[in-house]
Amino acid sequence: MFLVISTIINLDSIRGVSKKMILVILLFFTFFFIHIISAALNTYNLKEFIKVEKFVPFFIFPFVFLVAKDYFTEQSFIHKCQCTYFLAANLSVVILTLIAIKNTIVTSNIIYFTYNEFTNPLGIQPIYYGAFYCLALIFGFEILGIYKKYKRSIIIGMFLLSLAIILVASRTAWIILTIILIVRLIPILKKNIKIRYISSVVLLGIVLLVVNNPTLKNRLFYSNSNISSYSGLSFRLKIWQNSMELISKKPVLGYGPYDTQLELQNKFLKENFRRAYFLKLNSHNQYLQTALESGMLGLLCLILLLLLLLFHARADTNKLLFFILICLSLLTESYFRRFNGILFFCYFYFFFLFVDDTKRKLNKQ
């Protein structure tokens, strides 16, 4: 409420914002209110309705950036934000690695260096860590050309992040990592033979690590596992099929953010999809999850937000990589089911899009 009032009082915060950014802000508001309306129409339990508050960042973050616009128009402040995020990501890698070493010594089992066992100590699932670390890597390439004095330390940090992305064993994160490295390293490899040789050795080491680690090997080579497998592609496709059948029954405003899970559970039970039923799984796809929770209206808002991001990303490699990161992450996970996924999307959407737009506008003035 304070942010809203501050924005209304300080009308200067709205000046310098382009029409495209106004459209983005309106879409964020619309996405939030569609979820509110859907929840109100589908949820008769007040406690369940109040839980829709997790979508509040879609309403609040536009005001956050409008109020703090003057800070984010300074290039030095943006670089400090990137450095802070990069360092925080590396710190979490170190913490997780130390915990994994301790658990390995106690149990004599290296499983604690991979997948859920690696990320569980901090209570975040691998798909989220994969996205967080991939973004930190994008920032690493950015600050590498700015803080040349710390070039060696930044490169070490980028290597640790890349290794951590491999260890968290999120297939989506592996794909994003590959895209980032191809886009960012190929221009460098063409010019520097030494870096080419070093990269070849590192790549060989990564291949050996993956093929000699059972968890990583299974995640890479058995992605289309039997339907009884929790992580198999066939398993996920069946979840998506069940989700789409539910969407077809209530396509406009969906089932509400919290009645959706009950409907999925009933659907899994009806289809005798026992593993999904007992594990109480969601749709594992944010596009389908949004259509389930808020109907095609909510999905349309989400798609328009992504298209606007793509429109702005055409001439900016970092924005384009972030667009790819977000689109792929939403494809394989119900990203907004967890509050950290919503915060990540809302904050960095504006960081990459809104901040640059206001900066350009102010420079013209």
Side-chain angles (χ1 to χ4, degrees):
M1 184 60 71
F2 172 76
L3 290 168
V4 176
I5 294 173
S6 297
T7 305
I8 294 172
I9 293 175
N10 184 16
L11 293 177
D12 288 338
S13 63
I14 302 175
R15 292 169 189 164
V17 180
S18 70
K19 292 180 180 179
K20 293 186 185 71
M21 291 303 101
I22 295 296
L23 176 59
V24 168
I25 292 170
L26 290 175
L27 283 172
F28 264 76
F29 289 164
T30 303
F31 190 78
F32 171 71
F33 284 112
I34 286 175
H35 279 81
I36 292 289
I37 293 169
S38 180
L41 293 176
N42 289 285
T43 303
Y44 302 101
N45 185 322
L46 182 59
K47 290 182 178 179
E48 290 299 309
F49 175 77
I50 292 174
K51 290 180 182 178
V52 80
E53 67 181 1
K54 77 173 183 180
F55 289 98
V56 165
F58 283 96
F59 180 76
I60 292 295
F61 270 82
F63 293 108
V64 171
F65 278 87
L66 284 171
V67 170
K69 184 183 64 173
D70 291 340
Y71 291 102
F72 284 96
T73 54
E74 296 179 7
Q75 200 67 31
S76 60
F77 181 78
I78 294 173
H79 292 156
K80 288 175 183 177
C81 288
Q82 292 171 332
C83 287
T84 301
Y85 185 92
F86 181 79
L87 290 171
N90 272 281
L91 178 60
S92 73
V93 173
V94 172
I95 292 172
L96 289 173
T97 302
L98 291 174
I99 294 173
I101 291 172
K102 176 195 141 234
N103 289 334
T104 300
I105 292 173
V106 172
T107 63
S108 300
N109 193 330
I110 63 169
I111 196 173
Y112 293 100
F113 277 97
T114 54
Y115 200 38
N116 283 314
E117 287 73 18
F118 183 66
T119 62
N120 273 341
L122 296 184
I124 299 177
Q125 289 191 327
I127 180 65
Y128 294 95
Y129 265 122
F132 299 162
Y133 290 158
C134 282
L135 181 57
L137 190 61
I138 292 171
F139 286 158
F141 279 106
E142 177 77 12
I143 63 179
L144 188 62
I146 299 169
Y147 300 99
K148 295 181 179 179
K149 181 180 177 182
Y150 305 102
K151 184 176 181 180
R152 184 175 297 179
S153 298
I154 293 171
I155 291 174
I156 292 172
M158 291 167 67
F159 173 77
L160 289 176
L161 288 169
S162 300
L163 183 60
I165 293 167
I166 294 166
L167 293 178
V168 298
S170 163
R171 297 185 189 105
T172 304
W174 286 354
I175 294 172
I176 297 168
L177 172 64
T178 302
I179 294 171
I180 293 171
L181 294 180
I182 289 173
V183 171
R184 285 302 192 181
L185 283 182
I186 284 181
I188 299 173
L189 295 177
K190 287 181 178 178
K191 298 177 182 179
N192 195 316
I193 297 176
K194 182 180 178 182
I195 297 294
R196 197 181 307 170
Y197 286 131
I198 294 173
S199 299
S200 299
V201 172
V202 171
L203 180 61
L204 178 61
I206 290 172
V207 171
L208 292 173
L209 171 65
V210 172
V211 298
N212 285 285
N213 184 291
T215 303
L216 298 180
K217 185 177 179 180
N218 288 335
R219 296 286 294 170
L220 180 62
F221 294 109
Y222 301 102
S223 60
N224 194 22
S225 302
N226 186 284
I227 207 162
S228 63
S229 169
Y230 169 68
S231 61
L233 180 59
S234 299
F235 181 82
R236 194 159 295 207
L237 287 173
K238 188 170 182 181
I239 295 175
W240 294 351
Q241 180 184 351
N242 280 264
S243 298
M244 286 187 283
E245 289 174 5
L246 281 176
I247 291 168
S248 66
K249 295 178 181 179
K250 292 188 72 173
V252 181
L253 281 170
Y255 297 88
Y258 291 94
D259 283 1
T260 292
Q261 191 57 41
L262 178 61
E263 294 294 333
L264 271 174
Q265 286 293 97
N266 292 335
K267 180 65 174 175
F268 294 150
L269 183 62
K270 182 180 177 181
E271 298 293 327
N272 197 28
F273 193 4
R274 287 181 288 182
R275 192 165 179 81
Y277 174 78
F278 287 117
L279 290 173
K280 298 181 179 179
L281 298 181
N282 54 53
S283 64
H284 278 271
N285 179 303
Q286 186 55 54
Y287 305 106
L288 294 177
Q289 191 74 32
T290 296
L292 281 167
E293 293 178 351
S294 57
M296 301 310 292
L297 291 177
L299 179 60
L300 178 62
C301 281
L302 179 60
I303 291 174
L304 287 175
L305 283 171
L306 294 174
L307 289 177
L308 282 169
L309 180 61
L310 177 61
F311 177 82
H312 280 259
R314 292 175 302 172
D316 190 311
T317 302
N318 279 352
K319 284 183 185 177
L320 183 59
L321 289 173
F322 178 69
F323 169 79
I324 293 170
L325 185 159
I326 285 296
C327 287
L328 290 179
S329 296
L330 299 186
L331 182 64
T332 58
E333 186 67 25
S334 295
Y335 215 69
F336 299 160
R337 289 287 292 175
R338 288 174 174 79
F339 192 61
N340 53 15
I342 292 176
L343 286 178
F344 181 81
F345 177 86
C346 291
Y347 180 85
F348 287 108
Y349 187 100
F350 279 105
F351 185 88
F352 278 99
L353 198 76
F354 178 79
V355 167
D356 181 71
D357 181 80
T358 53
K359 175 171 65 71
R360 187 167 56 249
K361 272 294 200 179
L362 287 177
N363 287 341
K364 286 182 180 179
Q365 294 175 356

